Amino acid sequence: MSTTSTPPSASAQTTQTAIGLPNDGFVPVATISPASTVADPAHNADLCYQGLRHAAELGAKIVAFPEVVLTSYIADDLLYHGILLESAERELGRLAARTADLDVLFSVGVPLCINGKIYNTVAVCHRGRILGVVPKTFIPTYGVDFEGRWFNSGPAEVTDITVAGQTHVPFGSHQLFRCRQMPQLCVGYEICEDIWSPEPPSIRLALAGATIICNGSASNASLEKDIYRRGLISGQSARLLCCYAYCSSGQGDSTSDVTVGGQEIIAENGAVLAQARPFGEDFAIADVDVESLWGARRGMSSFKVAASAQAAGYHETLFDMDIPEHPLQRPVSPQPFVPADPHDRDDCCDLALTMQAHGMLAFLHNRGADRITVLAEDTAVADAALALLVAVRAADLAGLPRTAVHMRFPGARPNGHAKALLDSLAAAVGCTIFDAAQPPIAAAAEALVNPADMTELALGISGFPLDLAMQYAVNSQLVRSFVPLMLAHVAKTTDDERLHAALGPIIAHGDPLHVPEHDHYAARGFADIAPVEVEDFFIDGFLRAQYRPAKSFRLARCAFGSKYDDERLLKWMRTFYGRFFATQFMRHDLPDGPRIGSAGLDLRDGFMMPTYAQGTLWLDEVDALLARHDD
């Protein structure tokens, strides 16, 4: 059966933001693990009701409870008793009725006897009605689990059943639930063991269109199992480009020999947005960016989503939901290109340096070069320093003497503080700096290294030397905010005292972005460049997330609101879009450079942008936001 149904519920009034999707495509998702009592459905339903009320007060729109929470997972052979099953079904109906005023789509685990057999199911409810019942597919009967004693594997094909007095309720695992006001919000369900199986139902759910997948579980606690579960859930969310919301049974399902701790995990495309450790709060909530999940799928040609749920053989139920704008409940990093974990950051710095050096080594071999010249003109001291360190590593790999590595300044540049810093670094690594009055044209067997970083390139504030054929853009995939971290990593890990001493002042040296003299785009109103951290934030939103300006602005407020006011952020954003579009021609023929991160500025980096693209749509939206701010 592959149909679409709309429950006979009243349509909710939707609140559209003036620009973009409701709430910018963010949907609050919560997981709750009540401390259920064995064989007491009325009490457990009350706990679920209280949890739902609390989640709704916090703005949650999608809520998941654990499997068979209405009877408790450890009811065991009591599940054979009709009195318990009937009570659980009755309490399901009562819970649905009591929440008719809540605009929350929630799933609650309940054992149901259907045509004489018992199934482990989640009932999906919204505004007083049961929209569907999804059965568990894989039934574990090994280790501490004996589910095969009581439960049957649920059918994939969807049929109508009667549940808790409600007729024509879809029953089967091939179900999706989609919001009419925000089609990007499409929810699918699997239960506990399903995710542990070799072929989880969540795979087909995602390929049928689900962007949020909920898993009500009863997974027991054991040493390191919480770490494994977290990796499993975050990995599945990354593989399926979805949100995966997982909740395990609360502490009430523990026995004297098997403990259950209520672990909660909400992961989005590989990132854990919210979690509660086992035996903790048993509650997690986070805003999930379903719009960006659609965007990620758009950009991955190998992710084959069916044209519709029906085309994939799934039953789709539509529901109406108001998703008003609210303060975001999700982490927003002010440095999206920088790993938050210090160990991950060190690993990334080390790997980036290695990739740069080996990329330059390939460039040297390809060009037959035996000399390396780093062009330190009109660029940041940190960029030039990093380029020099990479050149030295590449020379070592190529078997060249370090005296073959030079750093060149234009002859007109004064011998100021920046040059003194780089002189000290060059001396520490055994290289030399010299001034040159002539344009930087490569001599025979000489490789020119351009230190310009991705932030400079994105804003069109890096002057390109001549002779691109013999030039290597070593930092072209590194944003400015990441470069000092790489230098700090080298300083921290080197045993060379001279190198450590030379890097310290360079790392401390402030190098703000600046508009070149006689800049044509400054005269067109694009001179107000933001601090590095803000520009890099805008670059991430445009290149990697494809945020529209309104959404990027909202996230920038979360990241920088306590530091910069709204008007300043919007004016900086306008300059970013204006310069980015106007200077694309400067990036159209970037010289070779190592592909390091997930974002770049030319075709070799996976970015294809027309040279003469117009930024009118983006600038108009920023102007609309500025006008709204002035009002």
Side-chain angles (χ1 to χ4, degrees), residues 262-593:
Q263 187 174 15
E264 317 288 313
I265 304 167
I266 300 175
E268 176 192 289
N269 196 8
V272 175
L273 301 182
Q275 60 180 318
R277 293 179 59 83
F279 307 102
E281 297 180 356
D282 300 332
F283 184 90
I285 185 169
D287 273 293
V288 173
D289 190 351
V290 294
E291 181 187 32
S292 287
L293 292 173
W294 257 29
R297 292 178 179 183
R298 276 198 306 268
M300 184 177 288
S301 60
S302 58
F303 199 95
K304 303 292 186 182
V305 180
S308 66
Q310 293 74 30
Y314 278 70
H315 179 282
E316 182 178 82
T317 297
L318 300 177
F319 61 92
D320 295 291
M321 178 175 281
D322 179 25
I323 306 177
E325 188 169 329
H326 61 270
L328 286 183
Q329 302 179 85
R330 65 181 277 130
V332 179
S333 172
Q335 292 187 302
F337 288 97
V338 178
D341 182 82
H343 297 294
D344 291 343
R345 189 161 56 244
D346 285 343
D347 288 345
C348 285
C349 289
D350 192 59
L351 180 58
L353 282 162
T354 302
M355 292 163 66
Q356 286 177 294
H358 281 268
M360 190 180 294
L361 175 65
F363 181 79
L364 296 176
H365 286 164
N366 185 281
R367 297 294 191 268
D370 58 14
R371 283 187 295 162
I372 307 171
T373 299
V374 177
L375 305 171
E377 51 188 304
D378 298 323
T379 192
V381 172
D383 286 347
L386 179 59
L388 184 63
L389 293 178
V390 174
V392 167
R393 289 197 181 195
D396 291 345
L397 291 170
L400 298 175
R402 292 193 174 185
T403 53
V405 180
H406 308 100
M407 179 171 285
R408 176 158 65 180
F409 282 100
R413 184 176 178 125
N415 295 331
H417 180 57
K419 186 172 183 297
L421 293 174
L422 294 171
D423 270 330
S424 176
L425 178 62
V429 296
C431 305
T432 58
I433 290 181
F434 62 91
D435 298 331
Q438 299 299 318
I441 299 176
E446 180 184 26
L448 300 179
V449 178
N450 186 331
D453 60 57
M454 190 163 73
T455 308
E456 291 179 331
L457 295 171
L459 295 170
I461 58 175
S462 172
F464 272 83
L466 304 177
D467 202 9
L468 296 182
M470 288 298 290
Q471 193 178 135
Y472 192 68
V474 67
N475 297 329
S476 60
Q477 267 213 2
L478 292 173
V479 292
R480 173 71 65 84
S481 56
F482 196 68
V483 172
L485 299 177
M486 295 181 67
L487 297 177
H489 176 72
V490 173
K492 181 175 70 173
T493 56
T494 185
D495 295 328
D496 188 326
E497 293 183 2
R498 289 187 66 194
L499 176 58
H500 179 86
L503 284 173
I506 293 175
I507 296 167
H509 177 72
D511 238 334
L513 299 166
H514 65 278
V515 175
E517 292 184 30
H518 312 298
D519 181 75
H520 174 67
Y521 310 102
R524 292 169 55 183
F526 303 128
D528 197 3
I529 292 182
V532 169
E533 59 182 350
V534 179
E535 292 293 355
D536 288 349
F537 190 88
F538 292 157
I539 290 171
D540 174 73
F542 186 85
L543 287 182
R544 296 203 295 191
Q546 295 88 45
Y547 292 142
R548 63 187 304 147
K551 190 167 187 173
S552 191
F553 169 60
R554 184 177 182 189
L555 291 169
R557 292 179 72 191
C558 293
F560 306 112
S562 61
K563 197 170 183 180
Y564 309 114
D565 60 54
D566 289 358
E567 184 176 8
R568 177 58 61 198
L569 287 172
L570 285 169
K571 288 183 177 179
W572 284 335
M573 180 181 287
R574 192 176 194 284
T575 295
F576 167 75
Y577 286 118
R579 297 192 69 90
F580 190 92
F581 277 89
T583 61
Q584 173 58 21
F585 75 94
M586 298 173 64
R587 301 181 293 271
H588 194 64
D589 292 310
L590 281 176
D592 284 351

